[in-house]
Amino acid sequence: MTQIERVTDDIYVFTSELYAQVTAGVINTRLGAILIDTLPYPSEALEMKDFVESQLSSRVRYVINTHYHADHVYGTHIFAGAQVISHELCRELLSTTGVESLAVAKAESSELASVKLVLPQITFEGGSFRLRLAGKTIVLNHSPGHSKDVISVLVEGDQVLFASDTVMPVPFFPDGDIKQLMKSLKGIHAQSGDITNLVQGHGPVILRGEVASYIERQMTYLKTVDKAVRQVLKRKYSKKALEKTDLASVDIDRAVLGGLAEELHWGNLETLYNRLKRYVKPYPSRTG
Ligand SMILES: [Zn+2]
């Protein structure tokens, strides 16, 4: 089941009601539709396909994979005949890690039995890639940090930005890098005045007036997490001391993303602790 929201005349956002409010987008043109991600379950991708064909009397020409994570790409095989576009790193990750995790996922969920991985036919390396279709220009920008292959997608003119998982209610970097994520968020913040709708990889669409402050809160969250972990390491406290940095202390509602907030937040703290413990020097001991 998905929820459908129309954000401009020809741009729609789909939100999964089955898993973590993952989003996907449809940009319709008179020469066909461009999809941005394809939701976690084939049944949801089929809903998108039906919508494009019956409600918009269109067909899907292109599918953009914003990154290789399962919840964004498992519906891609439903759109046979469409050209799939991603960053080159996304293609690489799908063909390695992606293949292994699909085997595990299939063993866990019968709903995924029919899923086949599709390797993107069109990839780009480096900074950005432009796609033009029937007068619409879509700009794909490399936006690493959540994972190394993430791209954001800007619909020029409409100024709708699909930020993928660079922006989500709990910023999340265990499969990526906190510094890169901060840099990517800064990039989005710099253009926030020109964005009419910011579509997060998970959760609600952020409207024009709120984009800048929303991104600022995300950057504050990352700084707080980084500082908290460094303090614990400097004082040689155990990992358990991180529990003081709970969701309330970082101003995140525990109900967001269907209750996943706690898990994501703890994942961030623990990952950063494990990564930094070799580098952060403890304060000199008072007795020594
Ligand atoms: Zn992701």
Side-chain angles (χ1 to χ4, degrees):
M1 285 291 290
T2 61
Q3 187 193 306
I4 305 172
E5 185 178 348
R6 188 176 195 172
V7 293
T8 72
D9 281 354
D10 42 24
I11 302 177
Y12 302 82
V13 174
F14 287 67
T15 307
S16 173
E17 288 177 345
L18 296 176
Y19 178 74
Q21 295 163 32
V22 190
T23 64
V26 171
I27 303 159
N28 195 32
T29 79
R30 65 188 158 73
L31 294 178
I34 300 164
L35 255 54
I36 298 163
D37 286 341
T38 54
L39 301 173
Y41 291 103
S43 58
E44 296 179 307
L46 274 170
E47 276 183 58
M48 288 180 80
K49 184 169 188 276
D50 264 9
F51 178 84
V52 170
E53 291 173 0
S54 349
Q55 304 292 313
L56 305 178
S57 307
S58 188
R59 70 190 174 92
V60 176
R61 289 276 303 269
Y62 295 100
V63 172
I64 296 169
N65 288 161
T66 64
H67 63 302
Y68 80 106
H69 287 165
D71 48 345
H72 296 260
V73 302
Y74 276 2
T76 303
H77 66 104
I78 297 295
F79 305 96
Q83 295 277 299
V84 183
I85 307 174
S86 77
H87 197 275
E88 176 60 23
L89 291 168
C90 174
R91 190 181 197 281
E92 273 174 42
L93 286 163
L94 279 171
S95 66
T96 51
T97 318
V99 171
E100 291 159 24
S101 20
L102 177 59
V104 176
K106 281 191 181 194
E108 283 169 3
S109 166
S110 57
E111 270 216 69
L112 299 174
S114 65
V115 172
K116 289 183 212 70
L117 280 190
V118 180
L119 295 184
Q121 298 92 353
I122 304 172
T123 63
F124 68 103
E125 287 177 89
S128 68
F129 179 90
R130 296 170 92 81
L131 171 70
R132 287 195 190 84
L133 184 64
K136 282 264 185 230
T137 301
I138 318 283
V139 188
L140 283 55
N141 276 307
H142 192 204
S143 180
H146 166 75
S147 56
K148 64 182 177 183
D149 61 329
V150 177
I151 55 175
S152 66
V153 180
L154 177 71
V155 187
E156 269 190 1
D158 297 294
Q159 296 304 114
V160 175
L161 180 71
F162 289 85
S164 187
D165 287 357
T166 299
V167 184
M168 50 192 282
V170 183
F172 191 59
F173 55 81
D175 187 35
D177 179 81
I178 187 171
K179 280 199 188 122
Q180 282 193 330
L181 181 55
M182 185 64 112
K183 194 170 168 213
S184 292
L185 284 168
K186 276 184 185 155
I188 292 177
H189 188 258
Q191 47 171 322
S192 55
D194 297 326
I195 296 169
T196 58
N197 292 269
L198 175 83
V199 184
Q200 310 185 77
H202 297 251
V205 176
I206 309 299
L207 300 179
R208 187 196 286 272
E210 296 160 13
V211 173
S213 60
Y214 193 83
I215 302 294
E216 282 156 23
R217 282 210 301 280
Q218 301 235 308
M219 296 193 290
T220 303
Y221 168 83
L222 293 181
K223 279 185 203 150
T224 307
V225 162
D226 187 69
K227 198 173 163 197
V229 170
R230 285 172 192 276
Q231 283 300 317
V232 164
L233 287 166
K234 280 179 187 167
R235 297 196 164 111
K236 293 211 257 184
Y237 292 161
S238 75
K239 205 184 275 186
K240 201 160 163 44
L242 291 170
E243 284 171 13
K244 250 181 45 188
T245 311
D246 60 4
L247 283 175
S249 76
V250 291
D251 209 16
I252 288 176
D253 184 341
R254 66 174 54 248
V256 300
L257 297 180
L260 274 183
E262 184 87 57
E263 192 182 315
L264 298 179
H265 174 58
W266 184 251
N268 285 333
L269 288 169
E270 194 173 30
T271 300
L272 198 58
Y273 180 94
N274 291 336
R275 282 180 193 166
L276 291 180
K277 70 182 168 198
R278 275 185 290 154
Y279 306 107
V280 176
K281 288 204 175 67
Y283 290 131
S285 142
R286 266 170 245 162
T287 52

